[in-house]
Amino acid sequence: MYGPLVQLIKTSDRIPTRFNVSIMLFMACLISYMLRVNMSVNILAMVQPIQGNAKQPTPVSNTSDSLNNRTTLLASTVPNYGPRYNWTSHDQSIILGAYFYGYLVSSLPAGVFAERFGGRNMVGLSLAFSSLLTAFTPLAAEYGMWATIVNRVVLGVLGGFLYPALHNLVSKWAPPDEKGKFVSALMGGTFGTVVTWPLVGVIIETLGWSFAFYIPAAISAIVAALWYILVADSPSVHPRIKAEEREYIEKSLGDTISKSKLLPPIVSLATSLPFLALLILHFGNLWGLYFLITAAPKFMSEVLGFNLAKAGFLSALPYLARSLAAFLFGTIGDMLRKKSVVGVTAIRKSFCLFSHIIPGLFLVGLIYIGFDPYVCVAIITLSLGFNGASTMTNLQNSQDLAPNFAGTLYGIINFVGTSSGFISPILVANFTVERSTMDEWQYVFMIGAAAYILPALIFIVFGSGQVQSWNERKQNTPSNERDHS
């Protein structure tokens, strides 16, 4: 019974432990997004569809027999993927948004919790309980809309703990000249979107929508079990890491990581220009990401007459490009850092050209050359692809400023940045409330481009790649600020 498990552990132990940890970081993000985005596809099979002939003239006869015949005819054209519920479009929007309300609640304190109680348990418990909640979603749907909403809110609360805890683990496990690849592993979420949409579609059509919750839940449970086998809070407490690898990691990190549990320096954070510049940069990054996710399909549907969602591979292409580009930029950044070509601060600022400025310029390009649907898809793919360089800018900078509080810093900037997911759709609706033509959308894209570019310029002026003096509360001298070059 335990033979395969023992063999798996023995096989994994032949691989550098930090490589196993990075793979599990990737898988944790992939699973988190799998459980986050599956509802957007599953709900299409859970609700009564809007009939395509609803606007057609109804027969003059309104007898009971004719109504029964029409109901039978409509029912026969609806695929039987499982029970369907009479949730209105408004109800569905609440269900789909419920995850993010829960996500906001926990993302702010998650970093502090990870630093106090350990990133391993935070992630492991998040995956395990998320698996349980996802498996219970069909049961919640039977109880009604509000039970489903509560299920999704709690799932979002668990998801909010994940990324700050993962950043805490990166600060303990990633040698400075390998940090780009470690942070690139956090793009597993983007890849999770690419995998999940076609996967749940096939599951729904073959087994029904309830299995589109059960199977991702089972995958999550397996990953949670592997997580506890392969991951520890730090190299010093991993039960099977080789002594030479542990010494290499600890020596490379030096004294930037404290062995004591420190309280986050709230006042220092609020008055730190490098941290505030990072917060603005991260907000700009998430604005661009959420803006393209929410606004671009609307633009292509209403202005260009092109339904991206039906294009299958094309709808996943921008996310796939972002995921692959993240590893490419992360590898290039690590090479520059390892060879000491430039310092960390210079790397962070220069890569803003790729992560923010070029994507912003592509949004401007949509106004002038985005009239063809496929050209539009290409521009969006390039924009999100270059944004993969964020692994070398805002997604990694919290590790530079304060390795002891990397989780806390990321929790704060993610809390503020996630608000862009609510603000950008409101902005789009405000400009397109009466008409949705290129004349209105040019203002939308200009604001989106500014949200990318202006934060990058602020970071280039005020950002830093140096460890800040408040990283170690007991050592508050300028000598504690240094560039990890």
Side-chain angles (χ1 to χ4, degrees):
M1 178 179 178
Y2 296 102
L5 180 60
V6 172
Q7 185 60 41
L8 173 64
I9 295 174
K10 288 182 178 179
T11 301
S12 68
D13 287 345
R14 298 191 189 103
I15 303 170
T17 304
R18 66 186 186 280
F19 180 79
N20 290 332
V21 170
S22 68
I23 292 296
M24 292 311 300
L25 295 179
F26 179 88
M27 290 303 301
C29 295
L30 188 153
I31 294 300
S32 175
Y33 265 71
M34 177 177 285
L35 303 187
R36 179 190 301 193
V37 306
N38 66 343
M39 178 61 85
S40 62
V41 178
N42 292 352
I43 200 170
L44 299 176
M46 297 172 67
V47 300
Q48 296 291 349
I50 298 174
Q51 300 300 333
N53 61 351
K55 295 183 179 180
Q56 294 178 357
T58 57
V60 175
S61 172
N62 199 27
T63 64
S64 176
D65 288 342
S66 65
L67 287 174
N68 289 337
N69 290 338
R70 203 169 81 201
T71 301
T72 302
L73 178 62
L74 292 176
S76 66
T77 62
V78 177
N80 182 18
Y81 298 137
R84 289 184 181 267
Y85 307 102
N86 291 316
W87 294 337
T88 66
S89 296
H90 179 67
D91 296 337
Q92 294 172 47
S93 68
I94 296 174
I95 292 171
L96 292 173
Y99 181 97
F100 297 97
Y101 289 106
Y103 190 85
L104 273 177
V105 168
S106 58
S107 61
L108 190 59
V112 178
F113 284 10
E115 284 147 13
R116 299 294 290 178
F117 305 112
R120 176 179 183 253
N121 281 329
M122 293 286 293
V123 176
L125 291 174
S126 173
L127 293 175
F129 282 104
S130 294
S131 169
L132 195 61
L133 280 170
T134 301
F136 281 144
T137 304
L139 180 62
E142 283 293 315
Y143 278 95
M145 179 190 75
W146 287 106
T148 307
I149 290 171
V150 170
N151 178 283
R152 293 293 294 179
V153 169
V154 178
L155 189 66
V157 170
L158 292 170
F161 283 105
L162 193 82
Y163 277 90
L166 292 175
H167 275 268
N168 173 264
L169 289 168
V170 170
S171 71
K172 306 285 182 61
W173 278 97
D177 57 6
E178 296 178 13
K179 215 151 238 182
K181 289 187 282 291
F182 266 82
V183 175
S184 297
L186 304 186
M187 285 290 181
T190 304
F191 193 73
T193 303
V194 176
V195 172
T196 301
W197 284 345
L199 174 65
V200 298
V202 171
I203 294 173
I204 289 170
E205 291 183 354
T206 54
L207 300 173
W209 64 257
S210 60
F211 281 91
F213 290 105
Y214 297 145
I215 292 176
I219 296 172
S220 176
I222 293 170
V223 172
L226 290 174
W227 176 269
Y228 275 104
I229 293 171
L230 298 174
V231 179
D233 282 328
S234 67
S236 63
V237 296
H238 197 285
R240 298 182 309 278
I241 189 173
K242 295 179 180 178
E244 55 268 29
E245 184 180 8
R246 182 182 67 248
E247 291 171 3
Y248 166 70
I249 296 173
E250 292 178 345
K251 184 178 180 181
S252 68
L253 294 174
D255 61 354
T256 61
I257 300 294
S258 174
K259 298 189 185 309
S260 60
K261 298 182 184 297
L262 304 174
L263 292 175
I266 302 300
V267 175
S268 297
L269 284 174
T271 57
S272 170
L273 283 178
F275 172 69
L276 295 176
L278 167 61
L279 186 145
I280 294 170
L281 187 72
H282 191 70
F283 180 87
N285 177 72
L286 290 188
W287 178 286
L289 180 62
Y290 291 139
F291 170 77
L292 286 176
I293 289 174
T294 58
K298 178 180 173 68
F299 169 73
M300 283 181 278
S301 174
E302 296 180 355
V303 180
L304 303 178
F306 179 74
N307 191 340
L308 184 62
K310 293 181 180 178
F313 174 75
L314 291 179
S315 64
L317 190 59
Y319 307 102
L320 181 61
R322 186 172 188 258
S323 183
L324 295 176
F327 286 96
L328 174 62
F329 282 114
T331 301
I332 293 172
D334 284 345
M335 289 175 58
L336 293 174
R337 187 167 182 172
K338 188 173 184 178
K339 295 181 178 180
S340 299
V341 177
V342 289
V344 177
T345 299
I347 291 175
R348 299 287 173 261
K349 293 183 177 184
S350 61
F351 271 75
C352 284
L353 171 66
F354 304 104
S355 67
H356 286 69
I357 295 176
I358 290 178
L361 294 176
F362 274 120
L363 288 184
V364 176
L366 277 173
I367 299 171
Y368 301 104
I369 59 175
F371 293 93
D372 182 89
Y374 292 98
V375 172
C376 188
V377 171
I379 293 173
I380 292 173
T381 300
L382 288 170
S383 182
L384 273 183
F386 274 101
N387 183 247
S390 59
T391 55
M392 292 305 300
T393 56
N394 57 285
L395 294 183
Q396 193 173 161
N397 192 226
S398 61
Q399 305 281 337
D400 304 321
L401 300 180
N404 279 325
F405 306 107
T408 296
L409 267 60
Y410 191 81
I412 295 171
I413 65 174
N414 209 39
F415 174 81
V416 175
T418 299
S419 65
S420 64
F422 303 106
I423 298 172
S424 58
I426 294 173
L427 177 76
V428 172
N430 180 66
F431 278 99
T432 60
V433 63
E434 295 182 359
R435 295 192 311 162
S436 185
T437 67
M438 184 62 76
D439 291 335
E440 286 77 35
W441 276 89
Q442 65 179 345
Y443 299 108
V444 175
F445 286 122
M446 281 295 185
I447 293 173
Y452 255 142
I453 296 171
L454 292 180
L457 299 178
I458 292 171
F459 183 83
I460 289 171
V461 176
F462 297 106
S464 175
Q466 295 179 324
V467 176
Q468 300 300 293
S469 58
W470 39 266
N471 176 62
E472 181 62 62
R473 300 292 297 278
K474 296 178 182 179
Q475 299 176 8
N476 208 21
T477 61
S479 62
N480 201 38
E481 293 192 12
R482 55 188 172 276
D483 195 328
H484 288 221
S485 57

